[in-house]
Amino acid sequence: MTELLKISLPDGSVREMEPGSTPGDVAAAIGPGLAKAAIAARVDGELRDINRPFEGDAELALVTSRDEEDALELARHDFAHVLAEAVQSLYPGTQITFGPATDDGFYYDVKAPADREPFSMDDLPDIEEEMRRIIKADKPLRREVWSRQQLIDKWEAEGEIFKAEWAKELPENEELTVYWSGEDWLDMCRGPHLASTGKLDPQAFKLTRVAGAYWRGDQNNPQLTRIYGTGWLNKKQLNAHLTRLEEAAKRDHRKLGREMDLFHLQEEAHGSVFWHPKGYRIWRELEAYMRRKMDKAGYREIKTPQLMDVRQWEQSGHWGKYAENMFAVPDMVPEVEELGDGPANPSVAPDADWMAIKPMNCPAHVLVFKQGITSYRDLPIRLGEMGCCHRNEPHGALHGLMRVRQFTQDDAHIFCTENQVVEEVKAFIELADQVYRDFGFTYDVKLALRPEKRFGSDEDWDTAEQELRDAVAVSDMQGEGDGKLEELPGEGAFYAPKLEWHLTDAIGRTWQVGTIQGDRVLPDRLDASYVGEDGEKHRPVMLHRAIFGSYERFIGILIEHFAGRLPVWLAPVQAVVATIVSDADDYAKEAVARLEAAGIRVESDLRNEKINYKVREHSHAKVPHLLVVGNREAEEGTVAIRTLGEKEQRVMSLDEAIATLKAEATPPDLREG
């Protein structure tokens, strides 16, 4: 008698099934409703196809569309494969490479046939239509195990040079799988997949754009076309996402930055920002705000060098872990060969010493801490710096203010004893909470744990991770979530675990900004010490922390969060006094003078233009308040205030208007009550 398989279900029950049974069979045995709803399964924790047979006794959790994270991952993976099949169906001779699911969709890298141009946006409607045909055909998605040589022979026979190259590098002793779509198309893939293409909603995806991509990410390799799409479980989800994208496009900080005359970027300084007066005013207000918060919290501000000897970075460990992202310069005057009218050709001596531009401030802060003898009575020492850093990001990764090469951090490092760590982290958590609430953000806090490649002992990592958990447990903060700290295995820095703050903006996007890290590695590598109560030397714990993260990125987030309509205290121009008739010019100038005397950033608009034109122009520039004056206002000492985003105007005395604007223009940390 054949021994039955014991399949344990989440409710504690056990189903006995025939060998060769699948999770789909279990679902059918439970009931027809579940059989229809089940789209995949977790077998002993591994996400698998619903029709993949059990290998033995197992724990089973059936996956339905209600398990949205798993369901979306499966659907997007399938959309990617359907995309590749559609492209090859429409354009024979197309070579396919790889196509993963992404956070909101999928993409596939393909090589167009030699007889046509690379794929473009014009091709997307036809590809979408072919994808819908494949989905509606409800083609079974069937898993098979192949040998490495079978894969190589298959791809070489069909001229798939990229797939063949990859197949040759696969390990011979690993289970290699392909998935058939019906009986006429396959791709090599680990899976899992849905049971058939018909499980996808043909109205729940959209191809969004094309871009160039290099095979295996190497610019020395052939260029491919990457076709992007967004994919969801149903049309309602897709429409909601497209609406979010439309709203995000309106809020794009690069677009608003141009319209509001805040900053620009250009090729002469890749990844570095040219701040215009209005944009730098936002920066200055943020910097002044953060300085007040840090001063009140007991930080002492310092300034450290941009360039340090490479040997210092070797000692800290950054040169070994981070050198490819650092800019290095020779510590010498290079010899320059004159080339007539052409460019100079500088040369560097082979024995030259090298300096590196700092990508972070931490080693320099350790050097400041090490000056003189520090007693345990001096701790904690909190050193802060508005530190300008440089990181050698690839050109293709740069993105407006969000990812740059030159940036300034609201950086600080706290040197403390072991016994002070939890209290210092707790104080920082509560400081960060105050800051984010001042800007109207909600947030989640997550704990990034030790990566595989790291410095320091497991014992130190155990201690550092638990200290962060303990600090969160005793802190008073208003973050989102249910009070449970989400942990991110493997995502800590190479020297320390860290708490991360993930802000949620006005349209539901999340941004990782603030962080605090508990580091025992760098003080040891750079020989930092203090004299303990016992008269012996001890290593301090070094807490790395930032709240904005970088000013550039935080300003970009603020612009998009507020859609350019910044709070009055942050707005570069807080009010404009605009005249209806030239007879009111003198009164407008008087109003401007009084507003300026009250500390309000104000401009006048005395141009001979219609008032509706002026209103549109200043609204477009996101000026919070427009104070309109004409003959009546001049005679009565009043102003008509038009507030950005409001339909009705308010008429009030100039004194009342000044008091109202002054209150709104006061930074949140300086307001009473």
Side-chain angles (χ1 to χ4, degrees), residues 28 46 66 72 162 241 264 275-276 290 325 337 370 399 424 427 433 448 468 495 523 552 572 594 658:
E46 179 189 358
R66 291 184 178 182
L72 280 170
F162 303 108
H241 175 70
H264 81 275
W275 289 101
H276 298 190
M290 185 53 70
N325 294 108
E337 179 184 352
K370 286 174 63 176
H399 178 71
E424 286 299 308
D433 178 70
L468 297 182
Y495 52 84
E552 288 81 358
R594 291 187 58 191
I658 290 172

Side-chain angles (χ1 to χ4, degrees), residues 353-370:
D353 289 331
W354 286 84
M355 308 281 284
I357 305 176
K358 65 178 179 181
M360 61 273 296
N361 301 299
C362 4
H365 287 202
V366 176
L367 298 182
V368 173
F369 173 82
K370 286 174 63 176

Side-chain angles (χ1 to χ4, degrees), residues 518-579:
D519 178 11
R520 288 165 166 79
V521 171
L522 201 57
D524 187 57
R525 292 183 69 92
L526 295 182
D527 195 29
S529 65
Y530 67 92
V531 178
E533 194 171 3
D534 58 2
E536 300 295 323
K537 285 187 175 181
H538 299 267
R539 295 283 185 228
V541 177
M542 184 179 184
L543 303 176
H544 308 244
R545 46 112 295 173
I547 298 178
F548 291 160
S550 83
Y551 280 87
E552 288 81 358
R553 187 165 176 269
F554 196 72
I555 291 172
I557 292 170
L558 287 176
I559 292 169
E560 297 199 0
H561 175 62
F562 291 109
R565 298 177 177 185
L566 296 167
V568 175
W569 73 275
L570 270 181
V573 178
Q574 295 167 328
V576 169
V577 179
T579 54

Side-chain angles (χ1 to χ4, degrees), residues 151-187:
L151 285 170
I152 295 170
D153 292 344
K154 155 80 174 173
W155 300 129
E156 286 185 340
E158 297 183 2
E160 294 274 13
I161 61 172
F162 303 108
K163 289 284 192 183
E165 178 184 319
W166 189 259
K168 290 174 183 177
E169 297 178 12
L170 295 173
E172 292 191 40
N173 58 349
E174 185 175 307
E175 185 176 75
L176 306 177
T177 55
V178 300
Y179 276 82
W180 285 93
S181 173
E183 301 297 328
D184 58 348
W185 190 86
L186 68 76
D187 196 1

Side-chain angles (χ1 to χ4, degrees), residues 41-48 59-61:
R42 285 202 171 272
V43 178
D44 295 330
E46 179 189 358
L47 190 62
R48 288 189 174 188
E59 293 185 358
L60 170 67

